[in-house]
Amino acid sequence: MRTLISTAFVSLDGVVEAPGGEPGYRNSGWTFKHTAFLPEAFEIKGREQKEATAMLLGRVSYQAFSPVWPDMEDFADYKAMPKYVVSTTLTEDDLVPNWGETTLLRSLDEVAALKATEGGPIIVHGSATLNHGLSDAGLIDRYHLLVFPLLLGAGKRLFSATDKDAQKLELVEHEAYPNGLQKNVFDVVR
């Protein structure tokens, strides 16, 4: 069974929308506009690229990342990594040709089947709607959260508002940085 890791930049009030400046959100770019950059706070991002063996994305995040990430040196390790995109609307013709092997998955059942295969960790970047479904279906095994000292109010949240039983998490790594960022790594307790 492969480990499914959800990684996110998240505000203290749970918003994950448009951290890098994506258009259409009032507080777009909040990760770099309001918090001083400290390289050590982002060490986990490089580690994720080295440890992950595949990437899982929702349609919206794929469409945001695929025109940019293939040519960015910061994301070079992701280029050759197999990518899986969960979408009921994208077709093979919608996939970019310069970002390595990409497979369309049509359901959470297909994600569960992927998790059941042999191999290393699968990393989920962005993908708020997909994260809701994965979490609600019990498919996420670990969370890598960089929590920013910001309250953003409205915006897409990392966690769904589904009424469900409590889910216990175990804190396995934590660090606080002088700029107010907190790194929290949680394993889902089953």
Side-chain angles (χ1 to χ4, degrees), residues 142-143 167-173 185-189:
R142 176 173 275 194
Y143 290 95
Q167 175 67 69
K168 183 164 175 43
L169 304 175
E170 178 184 356
L171 183 65
V172 295
E173 186 179 341
V185 177
F186 294 100
D187 281 344
V188 175
V189 177

Side-chain angles (χ1 to χ4, degrees), residues 3-176:
T3 302
L4 188 61
I5 301 168
S6 172
T7 182
F9 294 145
V10 60
S11 69
L12 191 58
D13 57 349
V15 174
V16 294
E17 186 169 355
E22 299 81 357
Y25 176 60
R26 175 183 180 165
N27 291 309
S28 184
W30 50 270
T31 57
F32 58 86
K33 286 182 181 175
H34 305 288
T35 306
F37 179 74
L38 291 177
E40 61 271 23
F42 296 88
E43 171 275 334
I44 194 168
K45 306 317 282 176
R47 189 170 13 130
E48 288 170 350
Q49 286 188 68
K50 299 295 183 202
E51 294 174 357
T53 59
M55 185 188 307
L56 181 68
L57 298 165
R59 176 190 55 80
V60 173
S61 290
Y62 177 80
Q63 289 178 318
F65 299 157
S66 65
V68 181
W69 282 21
D71 297 323
M72 290 182 70
E73 185 61 34
D74 287 347
F75 302 112
D77 291 326
Y78 286 138
K79 189 164 185 170
M81 187 180 295
K83 282 157 278 308
Y84 298 88
V85 181
V86 181
S87 173
T88 58
T89 58
L90 289 180
T91 67
E92 294 290 330
D93 290 340
D94 296 317
L95 302 177
V96 298
N98 64 331
W99 205 20
E101 174 190 344
T102 304
T103 304
L104 291 170
L105 303 178
R106 299 299 185 190
S107 68
L108 293 179
D109 288 339
E110 290 186 28
V111 174
L114 172 64
K115 268 192 69 172
T117 63
E118 294 293 321
I122 303 167
I123 194 92
V124 182
H125 281 280
S127 307
T129 302
L130 177 59
N131 263 286
H132 294 174
L134 294 169
S135 177
D136 290 348
L139 293 173
I140 295 176
D141 301 298
R142 176 173 275 194
Y143 290 95
H144 289 184
L145 306 178
L146 279 179
V147 182
F148 285 72
L150 298 169
L151 300 175
L152 298 174
K156 292 179 185 174
R157 299 285 201 268
L158 178 61
F159 300 102
S160 78
T162 301
D163 185 13
K164 58 186 173 186
D165 292 337
Q167 175 67 69
K168 183 164 175 43
L169 304 175
E170 178 184 356
L171 183 65
V172 295
E173 186 179 341
H174 170 77
E175 192 159 350

Side-chain angles (χ1 to χ4, degrees), residues 177-190:
Y177 301 96
N179 63 356
L181 269 175
Q182 291 183 25
K183 172 179 62 182
N184 294 302
V185 177
F186 294 100
D187 281 344
V188 175
V189 177
R190 305 221 190 276

